[in-house]
Amino acid sequence: MSASYDVDAFKSVPSSSQVQTTISPITGQPIVTRPLLSDSAVLSLVSNAHAAFASWRQVPLADRKAIILKAIDSLVAIAPELGAEITEQMGRPVRYGKGEVAGFEERARWLINKAESALADENVDEGRPAGLKRVIRRAPVGVTLLVGAWNFPYLIQVNALVPALLAGNTVLLKPSPQTPLCSERILAHLLAAGLPKDVCQVLHLSAAQMDIVVAHPLVPFVSFTGSVANGRHVEITAANATGSGFKGVGLELGGKDAAYVRADSDPAYAAENVVDGAFFNSGQSCCAVERVYVHESIYDTFVAECVKVVKDYKLGDPRKEETTLGPVVSQRSASAIRAHIADAVGKGAKALIPEIHFPEAKEGTPYVAPQVLVDVDHSMLVMSEETFGPVVGIMKVKDDEEAVKLMNDSPYGLTASVWTKDLAAFEAIVDRIDTGTVFMNRCDYLDPALAWTGVKDSGRGISLSRYGFDAVTRAKSIHVRAI
C-alpha cells in the first residue's frame, strides 16, 4: 500500500454487524473485509454530502480541475501497484493491469480538458430582442450516487466521477464488493490532493441500504453500472421515491455485442481483433464481442484464423507475466459460462477448441477455457443471452441484409462492429444497426470524446464526451431585461 492509502479511514464510521468479504478468484480465499455501514451512518453520510455541496459548487472550476489533476497524477504514479491489486481482486492478468490505469488517465484528462467548454454558459443571441440577455447555464444537480462494477473498476468509475466533481456535485461512490480497494484508492488520492471532506465518500452498503440511498430525497441523480435486472430495480426504486421530485438515472447495463465480417475484409486482421474483443478480460466486458456474423465467402478462413489466435492464449495464474487469460470472477460465473457452452453443443453447435489445450480449466474452479463455437443459431443461449465469458459464437451469412437483421435480433444494444475495407458499404448500414456505438475495424474500446450510451436493455443515459456533463448537470435558463 502507498503511504497516502489509509485503510483505517474506511473503518472509522459507525458500522453494522455485517461484514463484506472479497474472495479472490485466484485462490478462492478472502482478501479484503469491510464492515458495512449502519443505517444511521448511511443517512449521516448522505446529509454530509448534501452539506458539502453548498460550498463545493462555489469553488472555481480551475481549482476543481487542479485538485482532480493532482489526484490523477498521483494515482498514475503507482500504476503497477494498482494493477496488482486489480489482479488480486478480480483475476485479470497482471500484465494488463497498468493498461486500465492508463485508460483511466486518458479519460480523466480528456474530461478535465473538456470541462470548461462543456460547462460554459451558452449565450443565446439568435433572434434576441433589444435590451434582453438570455443565457443557458449548466447547474450541478447536487449529491450523486455512482454505483460501480468490478470488471473495470477504475474505467467505469471515472466516466461519471470526474464530470460530476468538475460540475460542482458531491459524490457517493458505491464500489462493487469484488473490487472495494479501487474506490478507496481514488478517494484517498482525491483527499490527499486537497478535495474537501465529504465532497466524495466511499460507501460499502448492503442491497437494502443501497435502496435507501437511491430513494433518498437528497440524492437527485444515480449512475448505475451492472446487470439488467439490478438496473431495472434501481430505476423502479428511484421512480417510486417520494419527497424529492423526479430523479435522474443513468444505466449502463448488459450487452450481447455483435461483429460483422464482410467479404472484403482481411480475415486474419479481423480474426485477431475480434478474438481480442471477445476474450480480453476473460470476456468480462459489457462491450465484449459475443457473437460474430461472417460472409460465407470468407467464413472458413476467418474461423480457422480465430482458432489459431485462441490456441495461443495462456490460461493460468494471473499473477504471472506470461498469463494472457485469467480466471473469471467466480465459480458461479464459470458454471454459467459452461452452461451456455453445453446448451449450444446440446443443440447442435460444434466446439472448436479442445480443452486439452488449456489443462488449467477445471470444473469447480473459475478457470474457464476459451471457446469458439460454430454451427450456432439464435435459439442457443450463447447467441441470445449475455455470456460474460471467454466464449464466442460464429455464424455464416450471405449478405449485409442478413447480417444486419441478425445483429439487431437481440434485446441488447450497446456496441457493434463492422469489419470491412469499404467505407461506403459501412455508411450504408451503420444507421440501421440498433446500438449506442458502431465501430468500423475496431471494437471493445471507449473513446472519451464519444458518447458512451446504449439502447434497449443495454441501458439509457450518457457518459463520456461533452454530453456526459449534461447527465450530472441541469439546464438553467437565465432571462434578463435591463431597465
Side-chain angles (χ1 to χ4, degrees), residues 171-248:
V171 174
L172 302 173
L173 279 179
K174 196 282 180 194
S176 164
Q178 191 67 42
T179 50
L181 299 182
C182 302
S183 295
E184 294 176 2
R185 284 283 198 176
I186 291 170
L187 176 56
H189 285 257
L190 284 168
L191 293 173
L195 189 75
K197 185 177 182 292
D198 297 330
V199 170
C200 183
Q201 301 173 81
V202 171
L203 280 64
H204 299 299
L205 306 173
S206 67
Q209 289 174 329
M210 199 176 94
D211 286 350
I212 292 171
V213 180
V214 170
H216 199 290
L218 296 181
V219 179
F221 179 75
V222 179
S223 172
F224 174 84
T225 301
S227 71
V228 175
N230 287 336
R232 289 191 191 281
H233 179 78
V234 167
E235 184 166 58
I236 291 169
T237 303
N240 290 338
T242 59
S244 59
F246 294 98
K247 293 177 180 284

Side-chain angles (χ1 to χ4, degrees), residues 389-464:
V391 182
V392 69
I394 307 177
M395 283 183 69
K396 185 185 300 184
V397 295
K398 63 181 183 297
D399 55 27
D400 290 354
E401 291 298 318
E402 184 180 12
V404 171
K405 181 180 179 181
L406 290 168
M407 293 170 86
N408 289 338
D409 182 28
S410 172
Y412 299 102
L414 192 55
T415 81
S417 58
V418 179
W419 302 82
T420 180
K421 298 175 184 176
D422 189 337
L423 179 59
F426 172 79
E427 294 285 2
I429 63 174
V430 64
D431 287 340
R432 295 163 52 201
I433 299 173
D434 296 333
T435 58
T437 297
V438 184
F439 298 100
M440 176 175 160
N441 296 331
R442 76 178 313 181
C443 59
D444 193 29
Y445 173 74
L446 276 66
D447 187 327
L450 295 177
W452 183 239
T453 184
V455 300
K456 299 188 280 188
D457 279 354
S458 289
R460 63 181 176 84
I462 294 173
S463 63
L464 299 178

Side-chain angles (χ1 to χ4, degrees), residues 312-358:
D312 281 339
Y313 276 92
K314 305 297 182 186
L315 175 67
D317 187 335
R319 295 167 296 191
K320 297 180 179 179
E321 278 291 333
E322 64 267 24
T323 298
T324 56
L325 199 68
V328 297
V329 72
S330 66
Q331 290 187 32
R332 179 182 177 183
S333 178
S335 295
I337 295 164
R338 291 186 174 105
H340 275 208
I341 297 171
D343 171 79
V345 172
K347 292 176 179 176
K350 181 180 180 182
L352 300 183
I353 309 297
E355 285 208 357
I356 193 172
H357 286 280
F358 299 95

Side-chain angles (χ1 to χ4, degrees), residues 41-62:
V42 171
L43 296 176
S44 294
L45 293 178
V46 173
S47 295
N48 293 346
H50 179 68
F53 171 59
S55 56
W56 177 245
R57 69 182 301 180
Q58 300 299 325
V59 173
L61 177 58

